[in-house]
Amino acid sequence: MVKIIVANDYEEMSKKAAAIIAAQVIYKADSILGLATGSSPIGIYDYLTKWYQEGSLDFSQITTVNLDEYRGIEKKNDQSYDYFMHHHFFDRVNVRPEKTFLPNGMAADVEEECARYQKLIDDLGGIDLQLLGIGHNGHIGFNEPGESLEANVHCVSLSEKTIEANKRFFASAEDVPKQAYTMGMRSIMEAKKIVIVANGEGKAEAIAKAFAGKITTKVPASLLQLHPDVTVVVDQAAASLLPSYMQ
Ligand code: F6R
């Protein structure tokens, strides 16, 4: 079942989504949280950090597994998702470093790394709450639109468009990672609860297609309509193309 929450703006979207995650952490102190990077969840991490600093949240028993990581860049590179997570969240709260997991972008063997990360997720016994952003094309994680979707952790080649879009963060286009590891659709769909956030006009079409359109691999997020517990938290701009009864 999909529940849609429309917030006034990014700030309120972040606060409402963070409140759902905070409730999960309070309700189950040893929750497994599936986490996302990107610009959408930054405000959420800020709220969770604030509530931790105020003494309202304790992450000491929490385990985190991230959706994705670029292949071929070091953790210490400020464009790695590992760096992002430390910068925006891990280093600011009391989550235990040995309980935070991301794919290893520098692994020598791709197949082995996919198998290792998949086993890690499966051995944790599944994800209690998965936080997601959504791409303009409806991707979740790096599960890109296509004729079919991968079930398990896999390594994807980034499209020219993505490489072009990411170029601004790197010294040159050659430095942009060409591949990334991502959780597949199975682990995402097996999460007990999913919270997906989006803000801004640019995401309106993706949100409308994903939650008010057909269920299709051409819009990977549309598969979330089949999940029993999904909360979509969007600002008004991102909600603007949803039919009025959903807003
Ligand atoms: C990030 C991820 C991606 C992003 C999506 C939206 O871990 O898995 O699917 O959530 O590309 O990115 P932003 O939030 O930067 O618009």
Side-chain angles (χ1 to χ4, degrees):
M1 206 201 100
V2 176
K3 186 177 170 199
I4 297 184
I5 298 176
V6 182
N8 287 317
D9 52 22
Y10 179 78
E11 189 65 22
E12 195 183 86
M13 175 204 84
S14 303
K15 192 174 188 177
K16 285 179 187 290
I20 300 170
I21 299 170
Q24 175 70 39
V25 170
I26 292 168
Y27 154 74
K28 187 167 180 267
D30 61 350
S31 288
I32 317 266
L33 301 180
L35 298 178
T37 56
S39 54
S40 312
I42 291 176
I44 296 175
Y45 295 131
D46 286 344
Y47 270 105
L48 293 175
T49 300
K50 178 176 180 286
W51 295 334
Y52 161 73
Q53 285 167 348
E54 289 169 359
S56 306
L57 287 178
D58 173 17
F59 293 96
S60 62
Q61 294 178 62
I62 293 293
T63 299
T64 69
V65 274
N66 264 77
L67 279 169
D68 39 23
E69 176 61 285
Y70 287 125
R71 174 164 182 251
I73 61 175
E74 307 263 4
K75 287 180 182 193
K76 64 175 195 299
N77 184 315
D78 63 6
Q79 292 308 320
S80 79
Y81 288 171
D82 192 281
Y83 184 98
F84 175 101
M85 288 310 300
H86 280 272
H87 181 73
H88 290 288
F89 192 46
F90 298 158
D91 293 349
R92 303 163 80 196
V93 298
N94 68 335
V95 65
R96 286 171 48 196
E98 67 275 20
K99 288 185 165 225
T100 64
F101 301 104
L102 286 99
N104 173 11
M106 294 305 286
D109 187 311
V110 173
E111 291 308 312
E112 258 176 40
E113 178 54 16
C114 291
R116 180 196 73 84
Y117 200 59
Q118 186 62 56
K119 185 172 182 312
L120 188 149
I121 298 164
D122 290 338
D123 287 353
L124 286 171
I127 293 162
D128 289 304
L129 185 154
Q130 176 68 53
L131 173 63
L132 297 172
I134 184 171
H136 294 99
N137 61 1
H139 76 204
I140 46 179
F142 272 117
N143 295 282
E144 300 290 347
E147 293 301 320
S148 63
L149 295 168
E150 295 281 342
N152 292 320
V153 174
H154 56 287
C155 185
V156 288
S157 293
L158 304 182
S159 67
E160 280 307 316
K161 226 172 152 185
T162 305
I163 293 170
E164 195 57 33
N166 290 356
K167 199 171 73 178
R168 66 187 192 279
F169 298 119
F170 294 86
S172 72
E174 288 77 66
D175 294 328
V176 184
K178 306 288 182 290
Q179 291 184 312
Y181 290 102
T182 181
M183 225 184 250
M185 293 302 292
R186 179 172 70 84
S187 304
I188 295 174
M189 292 298 281
E190 281 178 358
K192 294 190 185 81
K193 189 176 182 66
I194 293 177
V195 176
I196 178 162
V197 290
N199 64 287
E201 227 177 301
K203 294 288 174 73
E205 196 183 332
I207 288 292
K209 281 188 174 164
F211 299 105
K214 286 185 181 168
I215 298 166
T216 165
T217 58
K218 307 260 170 63
V219 184
S222 68
L223 270 79
L224 299 175
Q225 292 182 43
L226 299 170
H227 189 279
D229 186 353
V230 177
T231 307
V232 185
V233 190
V234 282
D235 69 355
Q236 279 173 355
S240 60
L241 294 178
L242 284 169
S244 51
Y245 70 91
M246 290 180 99
Q247 291 187 34

